[in-house]
Amino acid sequence: MANITFSSPVMAKDVTVYAVAGDRGTILAVAKAHKIPIPFDCQDGECGSCLVQVEHFNPKAKSAVALTEKEKEVLRQLGKITKDEIANAEVNDIPPRYRLACQCFVRNEDIMVRFDGDKTVPQKLAVTHAAARFKGGLEISTLPEFFSYAAKLEEDAALHYDELAKAMADAGNESVAKLFGQLAEFSRMHLAEVKARAGSIDVSKSVPPDYAWPDHATPERAAVWASDTSMTRLGGLKAALQGERRGFEFYRAIEATTKSPEVAAAAKEFVGEEAEHVRILEAWITQEEWALKHAKTAENA
């Protein structure tokens, strides 16, 4: 018998579940049974997507640690296990810090399981009871109001990226100026899509002239440090990613708290689109990091 406590930034709070050792198999099986959002893909110890950190509340207690060859190889590739940890597991029955949830079986001990969540897909915000009753910020209750704020969000984002592009060009940082120019164009494309979805709704009417965003900045506004004229292209992408994530959270909060089913349905569609924008930027960041890494390798060769 064991208590398993799951902890993650994508959860509103830690969750402890009761599991009978051996009866429910792996940590991943327990997580799925209790709707704990540990990411997973292959479920066969080959992809590494279900990586977790396991903390044993009695670290001196020894129990047979069954590390499969697949799990050892994947953990090695991820840089999450050392030769000493493998030896300790196989010779001294001391478990390593990191495991694959699909390969780690529940035993008769209490453990803490920590995980980051799927970084390739923005996680849904953990909406607590307090958040559902929150009366501050923007309370959007009609479709005209929703589409008006959505249009204003994209319009403000485009203007902001234009300002950043000009600042970078004036400083001679042409590559980042070009990037911010492209992002401004994307925001204008998204603005056109919002207006098309709004149909006959006049998106200029429902936003008051003295409107103000939370924190006095549009949700998709890039981070303050994006104005650093010495910024690299990678830095510009990361700054833009922060803005897109805030846009995702903005629509997710509307979906979670609005009392209007029509607004909730529209916000849900925009959540999906913002998630796609985040995935695109994350892919660009990965490509840029790969290019920089291999460029350095070539220089050192």
Side-chain angles (χ1 to χ4, degrees):
M1 301 179 189
N3 286 323
I4 304 177
T5 300
F6 293 93
S7 180
S8 172
V10 302
M11 296 166 59
K13 61 180 180 178
D14 293 353
V15 175
T16 300
V17 302
Y18 178 76
V20 177
D23 284 357
R24 295 208 175 187
T26 64
I27 288 176
L28 181 59
V30 175
K32 289 171 66 178
H34 292 85
K35 302 188 184 306
I36 305 296
I38 292 179
F40 65 89
D41 190 5
C42 74
Q43 303 184 68
D44 194 34
E46 295 182 347
C47 69
S49 60
C50 64
L51 179 72
V52 295
Q53 182 177 342
V54 180
E55 178 182 338
H56 298 260
F57 290 116
N58 183 6
K60 294 184 179 179
K62 294 184 178 181
S63 59
V65 180
L67 280 174
T68 64
E69 290 302 317
K70 283 192 295 188
E71 184 177 15
K72 283 188 286 186
E73 180 57 30
V74 170
L75 290 174
R76 273 196 293 259
Q77 291 178 9
L78 294 172
K80 296 299 184 182
I81 196 169
T82 65
K83 290 181 179 179
D84 289 341
E85 285 179 313
I86 292 174
N88 269 331
E90 294 177 341
V91 177
N92 301 317
D93 289 330
I94 298 176
R97 286 179 59 200
Y98 291 95
R99 298 294 304 269
L100 300 181
C102 70
Q103 299 292 297
C104 185
F105 284 85
V106 174
R107 300 188 181 279
N108 190 22
E109 61 175 326
D110 295 343
I111 57 174
M112 168 76 81
V113 177
R114 303 181 190 275
F115 61 97
D116 290 334
D118 189 348
K119 295 181 179 179
T120 65
V121 178
Q123 299 293 324
K124 288 187 176 181
L125 295 184
V127 181
T128 64
H129 295 297
R133 296 195 299 269
F134 180 61
K135 301 301 181 184
L138 295 173
E139 184 176 340
I140 295 177
S141 55
T142 66
L143 280 177
E145 189 179 12
F146 171 78
F147 282 117
S148 294
Y149 273 103
K152 197 65 182 173
L153 184 152
E154 297 297 349
E155 183 181 30
D156 283 4
L159 292 173
H160 179 55
Y161 282 129
D162 280 336
E163 292 171 359
L164 290 174
K166 184 179 183 304
M168 294 296 167
D170 290 345
N173 193 341
E174 293 299 332
S175 64
V176 179
K178 182 178 179 181
L179 169 65
F180 283 138
Q182 290 174 328
L183 292 171
E185 286 303 313
F186 289 151
S187 291
R188 277 187 274 273
M189 287 171 54
H190 301 158
L191 173 59
E193 291 169 3
V194 170
K195 290 181 176 179
R197 286 194 174 191
S200 60
I201 295 174
D202 186 348
V203 296
S204 66
K205 284 190 173 182
S206 296
V207 178
D210 59 346
Y211 80 98
W213 295 108
D215 299 326
H216 306 288
T218 176
E220 285 198 7
R221 186 180 181 89
V224 172
W225 46 271
S227 59
D228 179 359
T229 55
S230 64
M231 174 177 290
T232 64
R233 177 180 163 82
L234 179 59
L237 286 169
K238 289 183 176 180
L241 178 60
Q242 286 191 8
E244 289 294 339
R245 282 177 171 162
R246 284 199 298 271
F248 171 87
E249 291 164 0
F250 174 72
Y251 289 122
R252 180 67 185 94
I254 293 172
E255 179 196 355
T257 59
T258 185
K259 298 178 180 65
S260 165
E262 293 83 4
V263 171
K268 185 175 182 179
E269 290 185 13
F270 278 62
V271 166
E273 292 187 1
E274 289 299 319
E276 180 62 23
H277 300 164
V278 168
R279 280 194 289 270
I280 291 170
L281 278 169
E282 288 180 331
W284 286 2
I285 288 171
T286 299
Q287 291 170 2
E288 189 72 12
E289 288 175 335
W290 186 92
L292 290 171
K293 178 181 177 182
H294 285 266
K296 289 180 179 178
T297 301
E299 288 176 5
N300 296 330

